[in-house]
Amino acid sequence: MNRYPNQTRILVATDCIIFGFDGEELKLLLIKRHFEPEIGKWSLMGGFLKEEEDLEAGAKRILNDLTGLSNIYVEQLGAFGKVDRDPAERTLSVAFFALINIHDHDQEAVRAHNAHWISLKNKPALIFDHDDMVSLALEHLRYNAALHPIGFELLPEAFTIPQLQKLYEAIYDMQLDRRNFSRKILSTGLLIDTGSKNMSAPTKKAIMYCLDKEKYQRKFYAFWNFMPGQGK
Amino acid sequence: MNRYPNQTRILVATDCIIFGFDGEELKLLLIKRHFEPEIGKWSLMGGFLKEEEDLEAGAKRILNDLTGLSNIYVEQLGAFGKVDRDPAERTLSVAFFALINIHDHDQEAVRAHNAHWISLKNKPALIFDHDDMVSLALEHLRYNAALHPIGFELLPEAFTIPQLQKLYEAIYDMQLDRRNFSRKILSTGLLIDTGSKNMSAPTKKAIMYCLDKEKYQRKFYAFWNFMPGQGK
DNA sequence: TCAAAATGTGTCTATTCCACACAATTAAAT
DNA sequence: ATTTAATTGTGTGGAATAGACACATTTTGA
């Protein structure tokens, strides 16, 4: 029952752009390849899609292989389909964008894959079109972190406002006014005071908050001000 | 030189979600299939990717086939890769989002493909996962039309503010205050007065504007107000 | 007990949002 | 010619928000 006999079939892979945040800098989880092809060079974590595997399932399998985590925040970034993007054989790659808490993964699995957390500012050149994928992912992160709760996926469940501010400053590579940032964030009503404080701080202990995810979903379009009565 | 001997190769297709605007309603260009499989049912325009064809080039070829147009606004929407999305054989489809001026296409080519402009509100059920593609495309349109110049792709080069307002009202399915809309649009500085007026109107002739595309690019992030000093 | 570092909250001004009103233009009807 | 109906362009004022900036509080260590 092959209705499409004369068409070309090609390899389909997925590659994952994995962001983390160490409290100071935005980092990428990259592989120093100790296998062919392109052995010795840096690349994103990736793999081929299996015969009976959905696309998203393939991405989650690859992320689980590398990090040991199964509840990672993943979004599809898009398909990369240039004819010669892989010199060995035509391969269409669907890139996935993942955000993880950098302190919360299987270090042993990461070592086994020869993977390393590399600061975005020190990113080496990557194989194939992986540099393009990273550029697009960063753009996507900057574009969406201001509008949607995705930035919070890079932080622990509970966090302080100064930590959140440092994350935003890292994502957008710019300094923010502490007082205006705090007021603006709190005025959204999206943060819930957990009642505890950040005891690991050397000076004044900051209040720890968590995200009101349900409320964030309801406010999905609140940013957009062409339509009256939609905000806040 | 086949380095990936044991991997599955699958069919790759592209499907196009084509929006148009007739001055009143948002419409989709859909195919009533007069070919197998799923003959007689409605679907998006699509086709298989050729052996030596880039992904975006495949989408543009398919769009050109249907409309005769070659300078269409096209964006990749994403890959759809569920195992059983095509019951005949596994096919990964990359969906493309296209906006065209509804009065500006090759009517003969459209007829030859048995394609029809259907109002979004009367959209029939489509084959495979094409309904999901349309839903995602509409969400994408609503999400982006407020932030980027893509809405203008649905209008003629020159347009009036009331026409633009009707477009926004159709996209978001809501009524807008004429005076606030006009002031807000003009305050962006993105519209250029062409000097002429809409002579086909029955009453007062509205001023015709065109979009300052270069300025829009510079203001790409102007919508976003978490970072100070970025707006306007 | 004081200094240093970090956090929480407040104030003022300029700008923007938005509900709402009025004047001007055009063609058709009288 | 005048009126009428439909449509377009512009204005106003109060409420909310953005953004520059100041001060008080908490905590540790000298």
Side-chain angles (χ1 to χ4, degrees):
Chain A
M1 137 125 174
N2 182 337
R3 285 197 181 114
Y4 313 118
N6 299 316
Q7 301 297 336
T8 312
R9 285 144 184 89
I10 67 177
L11 287 168
V12 174
T14 66
D15 289 299
C16 299
I17 301 96
I18 307 169
F19 286 102
F21 178 62
D22 66 359
E24 294 294 331
E25 285 187 306
L26 213 52
K27 298 199 163 182
L28 278 173
L29 189 52
L30 297 175
I31 306 268
K32 179 130 189 189
R33 294 166 75 98
H34 50 192
F35 51 88
E36 288 291 354
E38 302 283 0
I39 188 165
K41 297 192 180 173
W42 290 91
S43 82
L44 296 170
M45 178 72 181
F48 291 106
L49 189 63
K50 302 203 169 188
E51 195 156 351
E52 293 292 326
E53 188 177 52
D54 286 349
L55 202 47
E56 182 111 348
K60 288 194 169 162
R61 169 176 57 81
I62 287 163
L63 284 165
N64 183 259
D65 264 14
L66 179 57
T67 65
L69 301 173
S70 55
N71 58 342
I72 296 179
Y73 178 85
V74 187
E75 263 184 273
Q76 192 193 118
L77 197 63
F80 287 72
K82 283 233 185 304
V83 172
D84 296 320
R85 54 175 296 283
D86 182 332
E89 178 181 339
R90 180 162 197 188
T91 306
L92 182 134
S93 175
V94 182
F96 283 84
F97 169 93
L99 302 178
I100 77 177
N101 181 337
I102 201 167
H103 301 299
D104 179 29
H105 65 271
D106 182 345
Q107 312 240 356
E108 198 47 57
V110 166
R111 242 191 308 278
H113 283 88
N114 205 26
H116 305 266
W117 284 105
I118 308 285
S119 164
L120 257 185
K121 297 193 172 170
N122 302 325
K123 185 187 79 61
L126 307 179
I127 64 166
F128 302 168
D129 51 2
H130 289 193
D131 286 321
D132 297 334
M133 293 180 182
V134 171
S135 295
L136 187 63
L138 183 60
E139 190 180 310
H140 182 90
L141 177 60
R142 288 184 169 163
Y143 192 85
N144 284 291
L147 311 175
H148 305 301
I150 67 171
F152 298 88
E153 303 286 342
L154 293 163
L155 294 176
E157 189 71 22
F159 50 85
T160 69
I161 289 182
Q163 282 168 358
L164 185 61
Q165 181 176 340
K166 282 204 167 166
L167 171 61
Y168 275 82
E169 289 179 335
I171 292 174
Y172 299 100
D173 195 23
M174 89 195 300
Q175 296 300 114
L176 298 175
D177 183 275
R178 198 168 54 78
R179 300 154 290 190
N180 291 335
F181 181 82
S182 173
R183 184 159 30 75
K184 201 176 270 192
I185 283 284
L186 287 174
S187 76
T188 62
L190 295 174
L191 298 193
I192 300 170
D193 187 336
T194 64
S196 56
K197 298 198 170 188
N198 177 23
M199 300 314 285
S200 66
T203 61
K204 181 170 181 178
K205 274 65 172 136
I207 298 169
M208 303 206 70
Y209 293 90
C210 64
L211 177 68
D212 186 337
K213 290 183 184 178
E214 185 274 327
K215 208 172 205 173
Y216 218 132
Q217 289 308 314
R218 275 194 285 116
K219 293 190 176 193
F220 203 74
Y221 288 104
F223 68 94
W224 155 58
N225 67 357
F226 260 93
M227 301 292 137
Q230 299 291 304
K232 281 292 139 49
Chain B
M1 134 125 178
N2 181 340
R3 285 195 182 116
Y4 314 116
N6 299 316
Q7 301 296 338
T8 313
R9 285 147 184 86
I10 67 178
L11 286 168
V12 175
T14 66
D15 290 299
C16 299
I17 301 95
I18 307 169
F19 287 101
F21 179 62
D22 66 359
E24 294 294 333
E25 285 186 306
L26 213 52
K27 299 199 165 182
L28 278 174
L29 190 52
L30 297 174
I31 306 271
K32 179 129 189 188
R33 293 166 75 98
H34 51 191
F35 51 88
E36 288 291 353
E38 303 282 0
I39 187 167
K41 296 191 181 173
W42 290 91
S43 82
L44 296 170
M45 178 72 181
F48 290 107
L49 189 62
K50 303 205 169 185
E51 194 156 352
E52 294 291 326
E53 186 177 55
D54 287 349
L55 204 47
E56 181 110 351
K60 289 195 169 161
R61 168 176 55 82
I62 286 162
L63 284 165
N64 182 259
D65 265 13
L66 178 58
T67 66
L69 301 173
S70 56
N71 58 342
I72 296 180
Y73 178 85
V74 187
E75 263 184 273
Q76 192 194 118
L77 197 63
F80 287 71
K82 284 232 184 304
V83 173
D84 295 320
R85 54 174 296 283
D86 183 330
E89 179 181 338
R90 179 162 198 186
T91 306
L92 182 134
S93 175
V94 182
F96 283 84
F97 170 93
L99 302 177
I100 77 176
N101 181 338
I102 202 167
H103 301 298
D104 180 27
H105 64 270
D106 181 343
Q107 312 242 356
E108 199 45 58
V110 165
R111 241 191 309 276
H113 283 89
N114 204 25
H116 304 266
W117 285 104
I118 308 285
S119 163
L120 257 187
K121 297 192 173 173
N122 302 325
K123 185 187 79 62
L126 307 180
I127 64 165
F128 303 169
D129 51 3
H130 289 193
D131 286 320
D132 297 335
M133 293 179 180
V134 171
S135 295
L136 186 64
L138 182 60
E139 190 180 311
H140 182 89
L141 177 60
R142 287 183 171 166
Y143 192 85
N144 285 291
L147 310 175
H148 305 302
I150 65 171
F152 300 87
E153 303 287 341
L154 292 164
L155 294 175
E157 189 72 22
F159 50 86
T160 69
I161 288 182
Q163 283 167 357
L164 185 60
Q165 181 176 340
K166 283 206 164 165
L167 172 61
Y168 275 81
E169 289 178 334
I171 291 175
Y172 299 99
D173 194 22
M174 89 196 298
Q175 295 300 113
L176 297 174
D177 183 276
R178 199 169 54 80
R179 299 153 290 189
N180 291 336
F181 181 83
S182 172
R183 184 161 24 75
K184 202 176 268 189
I185 282 284
L186 286 174
S187 76
T188 64
L190 295 174
L191 298 193
I192 300 169
D193 187 335
T194 63
S196 56
K197 298 197 170 188
N198 176 22
M199 298 316 283
S200 66
T203 61
K204 182 170 180 179
K205 274 68 171 128
I207 298 168
M208 303 206 71
Y209 293 91
C210 63
L211 176 69
D212 187 336
K213 289 182 185 180
E214 186 272 327
K215 210 172 204 174
Y216 218 132
Q217 289 309 314
R218 275 194 285 115
K219 292 192 176 190
F220 203 73
Y221 287 103
F223 67 94
W224 156 58
N225 66 356
F226 261 93
M227 300 293 139
Q230 299 291 303
K232 284 289 140 51

